[in-house]
Amino acid sequence: MRSATTSRFGAALGVLGAAALGLLASSACTMPIPDARVLTSTRAIALQSEILVAGPLFPERLDSPVVLPESPITELMPGDRVRVEGVIVDTSAEPLAASEVESLWFQCGSNCYLMGSRLDRSLGDVDCDAVEDYDLDSRCVLGTGDLGFEFDLPPLTQRAANTENMYLFAVFAWGGRRAEDCWEARKALDGSLDGCAFVNHTVELGPRWLLQVHADAEGLETVVPLEHVPFAAFLQAANHPPFLAGISLGVDGSLNSLVAGAEAPELAFPIPVRRGQTLDIVPVLDEDAQLLQTIINTTDPDGLVFVPWPEAVNFRHYTTAGLRTPAAASDSLEVQPALLSLERAELVVEQSAEVGEVLRVVLVVSDARGGDVVRWLAFEVVE
């Protein structure tokens, strides 16, 4: 997920003189750069897609040829009834309830970037229901919702068959704001965007080779000639979010123990920690289940060589105040693993944290095909 916001300060910066810019640059040299992973404001941190009701295309894709743990399916086909839903957390890492959020959803056609950079007003003019020959290339308003939105995937196009995805743009509003008001303020570049979030989201279509079979049946070109595709590729399981076995936790270099991350923070049993302690946090994948999510892909432009690839999984983390990332740790929000080994998130309990205070970490574990898993850990500061 990629999110974008615009503020009054950002708009005003363009009219500052060269001298003022020099003063800003000089001041910035002496001020610490805030850690983007610390939740200093309410923020959209993930957006999840799943099938609610499968459409008529290849219903067998929902039944994997191997046994997988129960979880949503995130690769979608035209005709599926789907739900997309945001995860928005406040400064305490508490997720906002659906009743606290209003959302406005756009379908972006071939991409959402024109809207993100040039604020294309045409997306707000036409409802998708009113679009003649509505398909996956249409640019239109899908509708409004709360944290989430349900809709039916439209017909396939050549562009979507090639890229194997659909592009959405979501506007979220909370704290008494309306989503339409947030959108108008962003387009006008002259209003406050407090209580607003703007999210680009890619919906993955698939499984890949069944999608190409459907493309061929619709008279569209396929990414490689179907006669080159081995039979086993058509049995590739539909994508699920990453399968987590738990979360590895180490304290001050101790041997890591496996703890269960909660699906919501109120379920996270606080783990006692002391000020100054270093925490090593690593999501641990269920290797057997995750290896069954292997992707079969081509390695040459002619599509003559097919190989199985383990699906790449990465994670990012967000924390409440009272936890910080050491200066020597990676500044990246995302850590790319080697196969099924995820690198650690290293955090230090601040000396300023108060005894009895509960500190939280939110982990977002993502795969390469639109699957997000969100888990919470809680820590209580003790003497």
Side-chain angles (χ1 to χ4, degrees), residues 23-374:
L23 287 173
L24 284 175
S26 177
S27 300
C29 293
T30 61
M31 297 175 60
I33 298 174
D35 189 338
R37 290 162 288 206
V38 178
L39 295 166
T40 57
S41 61
T42 301
R43 190 184 307 181
I45 62 169
L47 207 156
Q48 301 164 308
S49 312
E50 67 171 301
I51 293 177
L52 295 180
V53 181
L57 296 176
F58 310 109
E60 64 275 9
R61 65 195 154 97
L62 304 186
D63 301 318
S64 172
V66 293
V67 177
L68 292 169
E70 186 72 23
S71 73
I73 291 176
T74 65
E75 265 186 327
L76 314 175
M77 282 278 194
D80 288 346
R81 181 73 176 177
V82 305
R83 180 172 177 82
V84 287
E85 182 170 309
V87 179
I88 301 175
V89 295
D90 62 18
T91 56
S92 299
E94 294 278 358
L96 300 191
S99 59
E100 300 177 76
V101 180
E102 184 179 275
S103 57
L104 175 63
W105 298 82
F106 298 90
Q107 182 179 320
C108 303
S110 60
N111 65 67
C112 292
Y113 297 112
L114 282 179
M115 188 178 68
S117 60
R118 292 166 48 189
L119 305 175
D120 186 350
R121 290 161 175 76
S122 68
L123 286 184
D125 295 338
V126 182
D127 290 338
C128 294
D129 289 341
V131 173
E132 187 176 355
D133 298 326
Y134 172 54
D135 58 27
L136 282 167
D137 284 352
S138 300
R139 292 170 66 84
C140 51
V141 182
L142 281 167
T144 59
D146 45 33
L147 266 176
F149 182 72
E150 298 178 14
F151 66 102
D152 296 325
L153 251 68
L156 191 65
T157 62
Q158 186 63 66
R159 190 276 314 165
N162 293 343
T163 62
E164 298 168 354
N165 55 46
M166 173 187 190
Y167 298 107
L168 301 181
F169 186 83
V171 180
F172 293 103
W174 59 85
R177 292 205 68 166
R178 303 294 306 272
E180 184 64 36
D181 172 54
C182 287
W183 179 231
E184 291 301 323
R186 172 166 173 168
K187 287 191 296 182
L189 294 178
D190 64 355
S192 168
L193 294 179
D194 291 341
C196 305
F198 308 91
V199 180
N200 289 327
H201 180 63
T202 301
V203 175
E204 302 292 331
L205 306 179
R208 181 181 199 193
W209 301 110
L210 291 183
L211 183 72
Q212 294 304 311
V213 171
H214 174 56
D216 183 69
E218 293 294 299
L220 305 173
E221 294 183 7
T222 58
V223 292
V224 298
L226 291 183
E227 59 268 22
H228 293 176
V229 182
F231 176 74
F234 298 113
L235 300 179
Q236 179 175 301
N239 190 53
H240 296 254
F243 294 105
L244 286 185
I247 298 171
S248 174
L249 174 64
V251 180
D252 284 344
S254 66
L255 291 175
N256 289 8
S257 58
L258 196 66
V259 298
E263 294 187 8
E266 63 269 17
L267 304 178
F269 184 79
I271 300 167
V273 294
R274 294 180 174 83
R275 287 172 287 200
Q277 286 188 318
T278 299
L279 311 177
D280 290 326
I281 301 172
V282 185
V284 177
L285 298 172
D286 180 330
E287 293 190 6
D288 292 338
Q290 197 62 40
L291 283 172
L292 294 174
Q293 289 283 273
T294 295
I295 302 169
I296 299 176
N297 219 331
T298 58
T299 59
D300 68 296
D302 297 322
L304 298 176
V305 179
F306 287 74
V307 294
W309 290 350
E311 183 171 47
V313 179
N314 58 54
F315 81 97
R316 57 191 183 273
H317 66 277
Y318 305 89
T319 75
T320 56
L323 293 167
R324 63 177 173 84
T325 302
S330 170
D331 289 332
S332 173
L333 287 180
E334 296 187 356
V335 181
Q336 182 66 38
L339 298 182
L340 298 183
S341 298
L342 289 167
E343 296 184 20
R344 65 180 183 168
E346 184 179 340
L347 299 170
V348 174
V349 182
E350 296 270 27
Q351 293 292 344
S352 59
E354 297 182 2
V355 173
E357 185 177 0
V358 175
L359 314 175
R360 291 195 176 97
V361 178
V362 190
L363 303 176
V364 183
V365 185
S366 304
D367 63 26
R369 291 180 288 168
D372 278 352
V373 174
V374 183

Side-chain angles (χ1 to χ4, degrees), residues 3-22:
S3 65
T5 59
T6 309
S7 66
R8 271 183 169 173
F9 175 76
L13 188 59
V15 300
L16 290 175
L21 287 174

